[in-house]
Amino acid sequence: MSSTVHGPSGRLTPRRKLPTTHNATRLAQEDDRLILSLNSIIGTTTTNANAFDSESGKDLFAYCAGPAAVISDVDVNLNVTQRLFRAAPNASPLNSAPSYYNPSTPPGTPSRNRHGSPFKDLGRPNPLATPLDYTPDSPGNSKSQNRVKEATCLSISPQGDYLAVGETGYNPRVLLFSLKSDAPADIPSSILTDHSFGVQSVALSYDSRWLCSLGNSYDGFLLLYSVNLKTGAAKLYSSNRCSNVHNIVWMGNSVISIGTRHVKLWRIERASSPAKGRLAAECAVPATAGSRSPRTFQGRNCILGSLIDATFTCAVALSDRKAIICTSEGDVCLLDDSNKAKRLEKVFQLPFNIYCVHFDQGKNLVWFGGKDSQVASSKIGNLNSLPMSAMPSDAALNSSRQRSSRILALGSVRNCLVTVDSERVIQLRRIEFEQGGPALLTTSKTLPAHESAVLGACSLAHWHPRVGSDFLTYSARGTLLLWNFDGTSNGRIDIAIDQASNSHDGDRNELKVVVASDSEQMLYAGDRIGMLRVVDPSGLTAGHIQAHCGDMSGISTIKLQGRNLVASCGRDRTLQLFHHTSGKLALLQTLDDHAAAVTDLAFLDSGSSLVSISSDRTILMRRAAYGAYPSVAYLPMKAIVLKASPVSFAAVPSQPNIIIVSTMDRQIQRFDISSGRLLYSFKALEPANNDSVLASSLQVANVEHGHEALHVILAVSSTDKSIRLHDYDTGSLLAREHGQTAVSSVKLIKHVAGDLWTYNLISCGLDGTVIVYNLSTQPLTQRYSSPSESPVRMESPLKFTPSSSQPLRKTLTKSEIADFQKALHNSTGDNIDSIERPSSSRVRKRTAGSRVVNHPGVNSIGGGFTNYMSKSSPSQPKTSQDQSPHPPHVKSTIKGTRVKTRPSLDQRHRSKSATNLGVFDASAEQICGSLRAFRNRVTSSVGEKLKPAIAEELHHELELTLHAMRNGTGEKFLVAGEALSRELLDTYLAKVVDDRLAMAQGVQATIAKENAWPRALSNHHIEATSTTGE
């Protein structure tokens, strides 16, 4: 959604704000018409032990799932209740936390990175820092603005009162949430923004007074914050630079950092006791811009000895002075800092690679997880009797080799061990003890989730009475999970995916598309090798057929006149039409009229049309032709050629001939497939910088908005990885959400909840997560916290004042004015001439005989009318030989010659006809254009209807207009754009004939006079010659 003016927040980096103009205000209103709120998240994005934590004393565990952190409470029956914690990009924390390394800078400042910081390891630049002089969240670049970043790490305080979450990407945040029952889950207590390039690990101390955060290798900083337990406010206390670090853990008042050939102990010098720690936290000076640099976080390396080349993967504290550190080779080491000796020694070695370790203090058990889902435990009797001297027995090793996955994280709650493996499966394993023996594990509960990329979702609204589920999601491995909107799972269907005999790891077969049929309650699935399967709700394959020789990209089903038709398309440029009956698929038709891969298809108009789009930049529409049952064929009727290849298309509800298409040139176009005409086109733009995005996975739906239906276009943008909702009529952005790193598909499902319709948006991600959003609307009056913020002053609907009413206007038409003039003439006998506006562009019509242009002299005597016209043509070049100056008296005579014309019989109609030349035609053209635009809006609108009174009046006016045009020809005639009666027409024709005769007579007289003066001149010359001779 669009960013608004922020209050106090932890991020002091200037954000791009909308200008206070009318258009910006309108854009802010449009962005808030729809609201997407987080409902539930299915699956996890945990990839290492940093993204998981547990607290056995509170019977809860936490893990990262896309943009949120999920807190799971476990009861005695192992029922899991989840709470979601996520902060919007423009969220304001409860406590302002100024940033020292990323202070607020004016827009003109070219750089705000840490190269010029006074504290940078004794003034040396950071070799891991970016060479750029700006970051994407700076004022000059707002592409990453208003995006929710993925959560990569978290930590729960041992007291169970705070949750710390770290984000990934540029300018990440460290969010500190309160876990109290009355604390909001979307407003953090503090937001810390001192890291620049991603947070790799966070850790809260045992007393929750300190928070330590570790940046990734591109950031390279270890930061320590002091936390106020009453308010949750955090302040930067000290910092230092480190590299090759993977994880951090607390051991008493010290922090242990481990990594590649790295074990280091960081001490808080002034926090040697709880009283001193409280004093240090209270006396900590906030490190803000303009204050002194933060304290140096003092640390010392441990002597590794024989482990100099080891990669340390995980660590856990056993006490304030001792901790267990493990390596990727299975080495278990003990770090002892009793006398500040920092002694590290190897205790034993496990026969598998260790990726995580957990200490169950209540049972004095240390759990190890590693390769091939192997879990081991070791008993710790008395912590004071350390170091451990014995390797755990073989009975303690529970090698679960059902999968070739790795155990990435471990935790313990309610006598259960919680494990997260590399296939994103979260399991609760019951811990059982034998007499005098080690612990044995049995799987008690598995949180349902997909183990691979989720490719799409299907609505099961018509199946709900039978299966009791709202929707299903499917993954590339052929797993179909049935869900309710609250995130609870109702079943699982596994589709057997056949693998080719010569397939390799990079060319394995996988599921591509699944469609749920509403009429048959069957599932149709297509895979990568082109196999089409029919699956019943129980998971049994009812039939299959080899439909294509490549990837299957789309499936569509319809029941047409008793025929269960199934159409599929693929990369082999073909469409296949099948008839399904009794679990068998019978091929009816193969369509190969595309020249490139067919990306999608759909039945329209109850199955009478079949539309497909292809990479050859065409949209083909076909009509159904029926034969003997069950034969049917679809014949091509219309082809639409696009400027760019189509990406996705969707049908419009209640308009069978309208489709929405998105193309590679980032356009979203609306077509009428019956005529092939483009009705509307727009680009999906970013509100901040007007950058266009590429849209896919289109869907058109009607959302109840008050007493009206709001038509929306749902799309997925691969450009900014967002889910977008656009207005169907205008293309304006209604809502936007950045949830997952890569969204594969979205689905908007409408269902009944009591007496109201509710809308849920299902977002499927390639990271294996499924996010369920609640879609709701809000009136304009609820989009602003106060009336002063709203650009439109909403008064009470029952309160009207004279000053707030709009002025009324009524302009009389020319016909109405003519009626009034006629009535006035009949009553008083006066004639009122119409007053016309002067027009500078009016062309004055030249009349013959009013002006005679100068023309060259005639050399030959007796030149006729044709010769006169040719000589006076402007295209003839004039030479000095052809020109002869006229005598003064002759020139004046010709110039003063005027042709007498008869006066007009009706001077009023004469002037009126000349004045209104072309006005009637212009009015007709304007009315035609208005009717054409109105007709286009009527044919392209959805659900818009005229009021009966207005529709009746419009129909009446159109009939009167047609009647006047048909019957008016017998009574009146159009002359010079004006209607004249029969009598006036006779008078007008007589006047025109007289004018033409007078014009012809005048021209002939003029020619005779022009031909006379050369003869006179010649006779004068002869007489002068005779006189001279005499």
Side-chain angles (χ1 to χ4, degrees):
M1 299 183 183
S2 63
S3 61
T4 56
V5 179
H6 305 294
S9 64
R11 181 182 293 276
L12 296 182
T13 304
R15 295 182 182 272
R16 185 185 298 272
K17 299 180 180 180
L18 294 175
T20 56
T21 61
H22 176 72
N23 295 334
T25 304
R26 182 177 180 181
L27 180 62
Q29 295 175 10
E30 293 174 349
D31 283 353
D32 292 338
R33 269 190 281 175
L34 296 179
I35 299 176
L36 286 174
S37 57
L38 188 61
N39 184 13
S40 60
I41 297 181
I42 302 167
T44 179
T45 54
T46 300
T47 57
N48 50 49
N50 297 332
F52 181 87
D53 199 3
S54 64
E55 181 55 42
S56 58
K58 298 293 183 179
D59 296 324
L60 56 87
F61 62 93
Y63 58 89
C64 295
V70 182
I71 299 292
S72 300
D73 298 305
V74 184
D75 59 8
V76 293
N77 298 324
L78 299 185
N79 296 322
V80 179
T81 304
Q82 295 182 347
R83 291 181 294 166
L84 306 179
F85 290 85
R86 187 190 69 160
N90 53 2
S92 298
L94 298 178
N95 303 283
S96 177
S99 174
Y100 175 78
Y101 289 113
N102 293 325
S104 176
T105 56
T109 304
S111 173
R112 64 176 182 87
N113 57 12
R114 305 183 200 174
H115 293 282
S117 174
F119 172 71
K120 200 48 82 195
D121 194 19
L122 301 180
R124 292 190 296 270
N126 183 10
L128 300 177
T130 177
L132 299 178
D133 290 336
Y134 66 95
T135 56
D137 273 346
S138 63
N141 191 346
S142 61
K143 289 186 177 182
S144 63
Q145 193 177 12
N146 293 338
R147 298 187 188 179
V148 177
K149 297 180 175 65
E150 182 179 0
T152 55
C153 55
L154 55 81
S155 176
I156 303 176
S157 63
Q159 307 298 330
D161 49 358
Y162 284 104
L163 170 68
V165 182
E167 294 180 341
T168 186
Y170 294 101
N171 286 330
R173 301 176 298 176
V174 176
L175 310 174
L176 185 62
F177 292 95
S178 175
L179 295 182
K180 297 180 181 179
S181 58
D182 57 345
D186 56 347
I187 302 178
S189 299
S190 297
I191 297 180
L192 311 173
T193 59
D194 290 286
H195 289 285
S196 297
F197 304 102
V199 182
Q200 188 170 358
S201 180
V202 292
L204 284 165
S205 62
Y206 290 94
D207 55 1
S208 304
R209 295 182 179 275
W210 301 97
L211 171 62
C212 189
S213 63
L214 172 68
N216 60 13
S217 58
Y218 295 99
D219 183 86
F221 267 81
L222 182 69
L223 305 178
L224 180 65
Y225 298 90
S226 61
V227 180
N228 190 328
L229 297 180
K230 294 183 180 180
T231 62
K235 300 177 182 179
L236 181 61
Y237 183 79
S238 60
S239 64
N240 207 330
R241 190 161 60 94
C242 56
S243 59
N244 298 328
V245 181
H246 302 155
N247 194 5
I248 54 174
V249 294
W250 281 90
M251 186 181 68
N253 290 323
S254 302
V255 178
I256 303 174
S257 62
I258 59 175
T260 303
R261 295 179 293 180
H262 173 92
V263 176
K264 195 169 186 177
L265 196 63
W266 308 82
R267 303 183 187 277
I268 306 176
E269 298 296 338
R270 300 180 57 182
S272 58
S273 64
K276 294 182 179 180
R278 181 170 62 254
L279 179 62
E282 294 175 355
C283 297
V285 178
T288 60
S291 65
R292 64 185 180 89
S293 303
R295 297 175 177 85
T296 302
F297 202 3
Q298 299 292 339
R300 293 184 177 273
N301 293 316
C302 298
I303 299 176
L304 302 181
S306 60
L307 302 173
I308 186 64
D309 294 328
T311 299
F312 298 92
T313 56
C314 53
V316 63
L318 302 177
S319 64
D320 293 344
R321 296 297 179 181
K322 296 180 180 180
I324 291 178
I325 302 176
C326 304
T327 67
S328 59
E329 300 297 329
D331 300 321
V332 179
C333 308
L334 178 66
L335 176 63
D336 190 0
D337 191 38
S338 300
N339 299 320
K340 296 186 179 181
K342 305 182 298 299
R343 185 172 65 255
L344 180 68
E345 56 180 319
K346 179 179 177 181
V347 180
F348 57 86
Q349 185 174 6
L350 292 176
F352 57 85
N353 300 337
I354 303 176
Y355 297 109
C356 55
V357 61
H358 172 69
F359 175 56
D360 190 350
Q361 190 173 2
K363 299 178 178 61
N364 290 334
L365 282 176
V366 179
W367 295 95
F368 306 92
K371 188 178 179 180
D372 296 331
S373 299
Q374 298 184 82
V375 178
S377 63
S378 179
K379 184 72 175 179
I380 305 296
N382 188 2
L383 295 179
N384 296 326
S385 64
L386 293 176
M388 297 180 297
S389 59
M391 176 182 174
S393 61
D394 295 338
L397 299 177
N398 182 14
S399 301
S400 176
R401 299 182 182 273
Q402 298 179 358
R403 304 189 195 91
S404 60
S405 59
R406 300 176 298 171
I407 300 296
L408 300 178
L410 290 171
S412 59
V413 291
R414 290 196 178 274
N415 201 28
C416 291
L417 184 68
V418 184
T419 61
V420 182
D421 59 18
S422 57
E423 294 183 349
R424 305 182 182 92
V425 177
I426 302 177
Q427 291 183 341
L428 277 72
R429 304 183 182 185
R430 184 78 67 178
I431 302 175
E432 298 179 358
F433 293 90
E434 293 183 351
Q435 295 180 357
L440 298 178
L441 302 177
T442 58
T443 302
S444 301
K445 188 179 182 63
T446 301
L447 298 185
H450 286 283
E451 301 173 1
S452 59
V454 185
L455 301 181
C458 299
S459 174
L460 299 178
H462 297 82
W463 293 28
H464 192 277
R466 181 177 178 181
V467 298
S469 301
D470 296 320
F471 66 96
L472 68 84
T473 56
Y474 58 92
S475 63
R477 294 187 180 181
T479 303
L480 279 68
L481 299 180
L482 308 180
W483 305 96
N484 290 333
F485 290 120
D486 57 359
T488 59
S489 177
N490 294 329
R492 177 189 179 104
I493 298 176
D494 291 320
I495 299 178
I497 304 297
D498 298 334
Q499 299 293 337
S501 58
N502 56 353
S503 62
H504 303 283
D505 293 338
D507 194 23
R508 294 181 60 86
N509 187 20
E510 60 184 17
L511 194 64
K512 300 296 290 186
V513 59
V514 173
V515 173
S517 175
D518 298 335
S519 59
E520 303 179 89
Q521 291 193 357
M522 284 290 196
L523 297 174
Y524 296 92
D527 57 18
R528 190 173 181 180
I529 62 176
M531 183 70 68
L532 178 62
R533 289 180 175 84
V534 183
V535 183
D536 60 7
S538 62
L540 299 177
T541 301
H544 65 277
I545 190 173
Q546 186 70 35
H548 300 273
C549 58
D551 292 5
M552 192 176 299
S553 55
I555 299 176
S556 182
T557 64
I558 196 67
K559 189 169 185 178
L560 180 64
Q561 298 184 2
R563 303 173 177 88
N564 296 320
L565 300 182
V566 182
S568 63
C569 61
R571 293 188 61 186
D572 57 355
R573 302 181 292 106
T574 62
L575 284 79
Q576 298 280 67
L577 183 65
F578 300 95
H579 177 236
H580 175 242
T581 176
S582 302
K584 296 182 180 180
L585 293 171
L587 180 62
L588 298 179
Q589 186 184 8
T590 298
L591 301 170
D592 58 351
D593 40 10
H594 281 291
V598 186
T599 54
D600 201 359
L601 81 167
F603 287 104
L604 300 182
D605 197 8
S606 301
S608 61
S609 301
L610 178 62
V611 179
S612 61
I613 60 175
S614 172
S615 299
D616 60 0
R617 300 186 292 114
T618 60
I619 303 174
L620 294 185
M621 190 273 288
R622 308 166 184 85
R623 288 291 184 185
Y626 306 96
Y629 184 86
S631 64
V632 62
Y634 282 88
L635 306 179
M637 299 296 294
K638 187 74 64 176
I640 303 174
V641 180
L642 305 175
K643 295 182 179 180
S645 298
V647 178
S648 175
F649 88 105
V652 178
S654 70
Q655 291 189 359
N657 294 326
I658 307 299
I659 61 173
I660 299 294
V661 183
S662 63
T663 56
M664 291 295 294
D665 58 353
R666 303 187 178 187
Q667 294 273 354
I668 297 180
Q669 302 173 350
R670 187 193 311 163
F671 285 96
D672 185 351
I673 58 173
S674 60
S675 61
R677 188 160 49 93
L678 176 64
L679 302 178
Y680 189 71
S681 177
F682 69 93
K683 283 190 175 183
L685 301 176
E686 287 287 340
N689 47 27
N690 288 333
D691 289 343
S692 58
V693 298
L694 181 64
S696 61
S697 185
L698 294 182
Q699 182 183 354
V700 182
N702 298 330
V703 179
E704 299 295 335
H705 182 63
H707 299 287
E708 299 178 355
L710 183 63
H711 310 290
V712 298
I713 300 176
L714 176 64
V716 175
S717 171
S718 59
T719 307
D720 61 349
K721 300 179 178 59
S722 65
I723 303 171
R724 310 172 69 90
L725 290 169
H726 291 269
D727 187 85
Y728 175 82
D729 296 322
T730 63
S732 60
L733 184 62
L734 302 178
R736 179 180 53 173
E737 186 66 44
H738 295 84
Q740 294 141 311
T741 55
V743 181
S744 59
S745 176
V746 291
K747 186 73 174 180
L748 184 62
I749 302 177
K750 178 181 179 181
H751 63 99
V752 180
D755 297 335
L756 300 176
W757 286 100
T758 59
Y759 304 89
N760 290 97
L761 193 148
I762 314 300
S763 175
C764 305
L766 297 179
D767 55 359
T769 60
V770 178
I771 301 181
V772 181
Y773 297 95
N774 293 329
L775 180 62
S776 59
T777 62
Q778 66 172 345
L780 178 63
T781 55
Q782 297 181 4
R783 298 176 208 162
Y784 303 92
S785 58
S786 63
S788 60
E789 297 179 4
S790 176
V792 180
R793 300 294 181 259
M794 303 299 293
E795 300 291 344
S796 174
L798 300 179
K799 181 180 179 180
F800 296 97
T801 59
S803 61
S804 62
S805 61
Q806 296 294 331
L808 299 179
R809 293 180 175 89
K810 182 180 179 180
T811 303
L812 297 180
T813 62
K814 292 185 177 180
S815 60
E816 293 175 342
I817 295 176
D819 294 338
F820 283 111
Q821 291 178 351
K822 184 177 180 180
L824 181 62
H825 176 70
N826 295 334
S827 60
T828 62
D830 297 334
N831 293 332
I832 301 178
D833 295 334
S834 59
I835 301 176
E836 299 291 339
R837 291 183 181 178
S839 177
S840 60
S841 61
R842 181 176 300 165
V843 179
R844 180 172 296 176
K845 184 177 181 181
R846 293 184 179 180
T847 58
S850 62
R851 180 172 179 267
V852 180
V853 297
N854 297 330
H855 56 84
V858 181
N859 296 330
S860 60
I861 303 175
F865 183 76
T866 306
N867 196 10
Y868 164 77
M869 295 297 297
S870 62
K871 292 294 181 179
S872 61
S873 174
S875 61
Q876 297 290 339
K878 298 181 180 181
T879 61
S880 59
Q881 299 176 358
D882 296 335
Q883 296 181 0
S884 176
H886 297 281
H889 63 278
V890 177
K891 183 175 180 180
S892 61
T893 305
I894 297 178
K895 185 176 180 180
T897 303
R898 300 184 61 88
V899 180
K900 296 183 179 180
T901 59
R902 297 178 60 184
S904 176
L905 297 179
D906 193 347
Q907 189 66 28
R908 179 175 61 87
H909 288 281
R910 171 69 177 173
S911 61
K912 185 175 181 180
S913 299
T915 306
N916 294 334
L917 180 61
V919 175
F920 194 79
D921 295 336
S923 300
E925 292 180 358
Q926 184 178 3
I927 293 174
C928 292
S930 300
L931 289 176
R932 191 179 301 108
F934 180 74
R935 184 179 68 254
N936 293 336
R937 181 171 181 84
V938 170
T939 56
S940 61
S941 62
V942 180
E944 293 186 3
K945 295 183 179 179
L946 292 175
K947 294 182 180 180
I950 298 178
E952 184 178 356
E953 183 180 358
L954 177 61
H955 184 69
H956 180 67
E957 292 294 337
L958 292 176
E959 285 186 348
L960 291 179
T961 305
L962 292 176
H963 181 73
M965 294 178 63
R966 293 169 182 171
N967 300 334
T969 56
E971 300 293 336
K972 296 182 179 181
F973 299 86
L974 293 178
V975 177
E978 193 174 32
L980 299 179
S981 62
R982 186 177 298 275
E983 294 78 4
L984 294 178
L985 178 63
D986 295 339
T987 304
Y988 178 78
L989 292 177
K991 178 183 66 64
V992 171
V993 172
D994 294 342
D995 291 344
R996 293 300 175 92
L997 291 176
M999 184 188 308
Q1001 295 175 0
V1003 171
Q1004 291 179 0
T1006 303
I1007 294 175
K1009 291 181 180 181
E1010 290 177 354
N1011 294 333
W1013 76 266
R1015 295 193 189 97
L1017 184 62
S1018 177
N1019 295 334
H1020 179 72
H1021 178 69
I1022 294 173
E1023 293 177 357
T1025 304
S1026 301
T1027 305
T1028 305
E1030 292 177 354

